[in-house]
Amino acid sequence: MRFGVLGPVTAWTDAGEPVTIPGLKVRALLADLLVHEGRPVPADRLIDDLWGSDLPGNPSGTLSAKVSQLRRAFEDAEPGSRVLVKSGPAGYSLTVDSSSYDALTFAERVDAGRLDEALALWRGPAYADFADEAFVETAVARLTEQRLAALERAEVPVSELSVLVAEHPLREGLRAAHMRALYRAGRQSEALESYEHLRQLLLDELGLDPSPELVALQQSILTQDLPNARTNLPAQLTELVGRSEALPEVSSGLQSSRLVTLTGPGGVGKTRLALAAAASVADRFPDGVLLVELAAVTPAARSVRNALTDSVQAALDLRDSAGPADAVVERLAAVMGTRLLVLDNCEQVVAEVAELTDRLLAAAPGLRVLATSREPLGLAGEVVWTVPPLEVPSPALGFDAVGECSAVQLFVTRAAAASRDFTLSAETVADVSVLCRRLDGIPLALELAATRVRALGVRGLVARLDDRFRLLATGHRGAAPRQQTLLAMIDWSWELLDPDEQSVLRKLAVHADGCTAEAAAAVCGEADVLDVLIRLVDRSLVVPVHGVEGPRYRLLESVAAYCVEKLRATGELDAVRQRHLDYYVELAESARPHLYGGEQSRWLQLLDEDAANLRTALDRAVAVGRLDLGERLVDALAWYWFLRGRLAEAQRSLEAVPGSPRVEAWRVGFLYLQGDPRAPGERDRWIETADARGQWWIAHTGSDVGDLATPLTLLERSLKSFEADGDQWGVAAALASRSKHSHVRSDLAAMHADASESARIFRSLGDRWGMLQALSWLGARAERAGDFGEAERLQLEGVQLAEELGLWPEVASALGGLGWTSIRQARYDAARSQGERALRLATEQGQRAAQALAEIVLGFAARRSGDLDEAERWLRALVASARRQNEPVLYLSMVLEELGFLLELRGEYAEALESHKEAFRISTEYDSLRSMCWALEGIAACLPDKTVAAKLLGAAAATRATDPQLAATVDLTDLDRAIETVRSALGDAAYAEAYAAGAALRPQEAFQLL
């Protein structure tokens, strides 16, 4: 039996025959059971949903009759199906799963990235024939939101998007999809009109501007440079020549196989073909195409596995995950979705790449991989596609046939670009044919030769081949002929260089993933190498790539390997590597002060560009025993790693150069951030030797777990030092961190004072990270005071700041705070949406604290909107996670309180009582009056002794009355239910007497009554 709600509520047999459901109420019963997706529904809830206030004479009997009719309809249509409708102590349920229920099938297909298949399940609005019934309202909203989110990611025709935009005019995701679709259909002006329509709507109705992402999209359409957010493939400056047959074959291989590896010698064009093939199939992958360049990952890395996962995370713009390498791979697999992963230059670490690829493919069913390597990965199911050299002309071919050979086409195209006068003519065709044959059609060799046409002419090139390519006759034993050709070609190109060009080229080889002209000069030991770099670019031996502040320069992989051998032969290798190490230590140290002020964003991007060089420098420092330089490097980079969320990389790097108080203070903080149980012990070892910023760092990172007294003491101590030293950044940071402690104690006046001053200082310094911290606590203070509009404004500003900086862990935290504010406003659908996005980001970035906040939002929103099963899953998972920590976790008390309210709603009073009691005890440890009041109200709702329960309610109310902020945090739904339960049991007079007696008690005294 199969069921559908993505349209009218329907049932079919497994053979596809419709099932007749007799009567409106029986069909409503089916709809109500389907809403709960297999979970039991209490009889009272079903009666209320089906009849409301217009009850039948015998509600229970009538419901039982309707259940029997539903079972009979199932049985008549498909024998044996009556058992699908179950009854038990918790109520009635309908057995469904993703194979039998279209709502679950839809969610499963969306998760797998099969968007077109998922959307094809919809036959109209969800629960179309019961859309006006209250019991389907939440489910309809959830399913509709899921459908809209899928439509935003799917390839949808312009006409359909136009209808959707009209129905949801303020939804920016749909608007962005509509604009892209119009632009790609050649309707640029209409795309801009769509943007302008939304901008005006937002201004008129909400007083808001479009998001930065939508503004950027509009600008891209204006400049006709629409970015493809689904891919990081670089734009190709030249057309792909000579691969007209290869391209469709590789593309077809990606259709039928999950792993395609392009093999062949260096310089044959594997990367260029892979990029073209990936671009041609990008539309097949809803989650995009991701290029990961592995040339910088070498066997010399301290951990090749970590270097590989770091490279993938960086390409995904993810932050490092805490935990072992296996957990990092699992997280990468979890975010792959339906994606094409292009792994370029695998040959240096082919075994480790094969291991990573195997695990990702096994764990991510929507993933496909296109790899380039000089040898296959050797995995089951791998399709190996050997990239051939370009077609070369035979001596007997005529002029027209020579011009059709792909090797000739490539050479002529590149030679004409280098020398505008060059053409394939009757005078040049013979020499071009000889050149292409002698170079075996290797694209890199042809391109290198083409750059010299202007200086030597084709005949001059052929003459030099006679001198330089005697090796082609026999080559090096054990090497493939094409490898001999490429090595000979590079060697020949090398000999054509001037001595200063040779010197610069070979020294560039120590860089990982390119360098700036300044870095090249420092490592080459020369004042200015820019002119030489430009000449090397002209000769296609150096590749210019776009950088944050101008061009960067990279060597082709084969050229770099060749140049390292040249350095080794001249005895310069160690000296040049040492200059590389010295330069990047100095770069990191010069960047450090800029990460604490107005240039934060710029310097984060600059360090991002040189991340591979910085890792290489640290590896070098450790390998040669220069731990002094290694210590300086990690000390300078620790704050960068934190801002970028690269926690695992930071921890590994800090542990590689242990010993100094500054390094150890950093290490303690990163241990706390990753939930490492060693953190408290390491903190006690190093807090006395740490300087003021080290003490602040330990206190800041350690304030989410453990006793609050020690972090608060460290904060006060560091604050005094900052004030004495005139360190304004330190003062602002300490005040922001101290706001968290005031938040726990519900001291809102102190919280507001500290956070406001922190915001003022950080704003004057231009430090956006600091502004985020201060804004988050100002927003939390506004939420506590019941000023939800101000809280939401501050939290939205925090989200925008974090997105502008690319600080995705901070985006997750800000979204979590926004979700909590939505819960306080009883906007549970909004809270779920914000919590889901926060959880996705926090999980991707490996941020435990932000992940916990998102899960709290989702759990609380589910409980308060009536989805007790979902709420219980979130809440119990949070409790279990907190109990695994060696020290108390701040959020545990509020989660236990929420779990207690949930259990009370289910009638599980004994367990609910124990949950609330434990929450109260934890609250007293942190002196949190808000949590104490919540716990007392929860205890009262499920305590058998109603007289004591009334006293607890009186004590909580009296405590709240002492502070307007405490009164603003009450949840009236839970409190009213507790009052009604106790008052009904005692009667008004006895309740009032006990309530008044309790009002004279402090919370701790009231708790002692138990």
Side-chain angles (χ1 to χ4, degrees), residues 23 28 104 112-113 150 318 362 551 636 700 804-805:
L104 296 177
L318 297 182
H700 175 75
E804 289 173 357
L805 273 176

Side-chain angles (χ1 to χ4, degrees), residues 73-84:
F74 286 175
E75 188 70 20
D76 290 344
E78 193 166 80
S81 295
R82 65 178 297 111
V83 300
L84 295 174

Side-chain angles (χ1 to χ4, degrees), residues 612-668:
N613 278 312
L614 293 164
R615 282 195 296 267
T616 298
L618 179 58
D619 288 346
R620 177 67 179 169
V622 173
V624 300
R626 289 300 306 272
L627 297 186
D628 56 329
L629 292 177
E631 179 185 323
R632 287 170 55 192
L633 189 57
V634 298
D635 181 40
L637 290 175
W639 189 245
Y640 161 73
W641 286 325
F642 170 68
L643 291 177
R644 279 302 189 223
R646 302 204 178 283
L647 309 185
E649 180 178 353
Q651 192 63 44
R652 293 194 306 268
S653 301
L654 291 162
E655 288 178 349
V657 286
S660 77
R662 287 180 63 87
V663 168
E664 294 302 332
W666 283 117
R667 190 171 65 85
V668 170

Side-chain angles (χ1 to χ4, degrees), residues 440-641:
D440 285 350
I442 301 293
L444 176 58
L446 293 167
E447 297 204 13
L448 292 172
T451 64
R452 306 301 290 168
V453 167
R454 183 172 54 184
L456 301 174
V458 182
R459 186 152 297 177
L461 289 174
V462 173
R464 286 178 177 264
L465 283 176
D466 289 337
D467 293 332
R468 296 301 304 154
F469 276 73
R470 293 176 182 174
L471 287 174
L472 291 177
T474 57
H476 300 290
R477 288 188 176 89
R482 295 190 184 110
Q483 291 173 315
Q484 296 170 8
T485 301
L486 181 61
L487 291 172
M489 185 69 242
I490 297 173
D491 191 41
W492 167 69
S493 300
W494 173 269
E495 294 298 335
L496 293 177
L497 298 177
D498 296 335
D500 59 336
E501 293 172 342
Q502 291 179 342
S503 176
V504 170
L505 184 62
R506 65 175 175 261
K507 292 170 184 174
L508 288 177
V510 300
H511 290 91
D513 205 26
C515 64
T516 62
E518 180 186 11
V523 173
C524 291
E526 301 181 23
D528 186 5
V529 297
L530 185 57
D531 287 342
V532 178
L533 285 172
I534 292 172
R535 295 203 300 272
L536 291 171
V537 169
D538 288 341
R539 286 154 175 73
S540 296
L541 289 166
V542 171
V543 180
V545 294
H546 178 71
V548 175
E549 296 188 341
R552 291 172 60 83
Y553 301 92
R554 296 175 56 188
L555 295 189
L556 298 168
E557 175 200 358
S558 300
V559 174
Y562 177 91
C563 290
V564 167
E565 293 306 314
K566 286 291 183 182
L567 280 175
R568 187 173 282 113
T570 60
E572 298 174 288
L573 184 57
D574 288 341
V576 176
R577 282 176 170 169
Q578 184 60 44
R579 287 202 294 271
H580 178 276
L581 170 57
D582 292 338
Y583 174 80
Y584 284 100
V585 171
E586 292 173 6
L587 174 68
E589 290 181 330
S590 65
R592 175 168 48 193
H594 299 291
L595 295 176
Y596 294 90
E599 292 189 288
Q600 192 174 68
S601 178
R602 169 176 170 258
W603 278 91
L604 283 171
Q605 294 178 70
L606 290 173
L607 291 177
D608 286 344
E609 285 189 338
D610 270 315
N613 278 312
L614 293 164
R615 282 195 296 267
T616 298
L618 179 58
D619 288 346
R620 177 67 179 169
V622 173
V624 300
R626 289 300 306 272
L627 297 186
D628 56 329
L629 292 177
E631 179 185 323
R632 287 170 55 192
L633 189 57
V634 298
D635 181 40
L637 290 175
W639 189 245
Y640 161 73
W641 286 325

Side-chain angles (χ1 to χ4, degrees), residues 190-222:
E190 292 178 62
L192 295 172
E193 288 172 7
S194 182
Y195 169 84
E196 182 59 27
H197 180 62
L198 173 65
R199 188 192 67 78
Q200 196 62 50
L201 277 176
L202 288 171
L203 184 63
D204 294 344
E205 298 190 17
L206 302 176
L208 298 175
D209 292 325
S211 67
E213 293 83 1
L214 208 65
V215 173
L217 176 61
Q218 183 238 12
Q219 290 299 313
S220 297
I221 292 173
L222 278 171

Side-chain angles (χ1 to χ4, degrees), residues 91-103:
Y92 295 98
S93 64
L94 178 63
T95 302
V96 292
D97 57 28
S98 60
S99 65
S100 62
Y101 183 26
D102 64 356

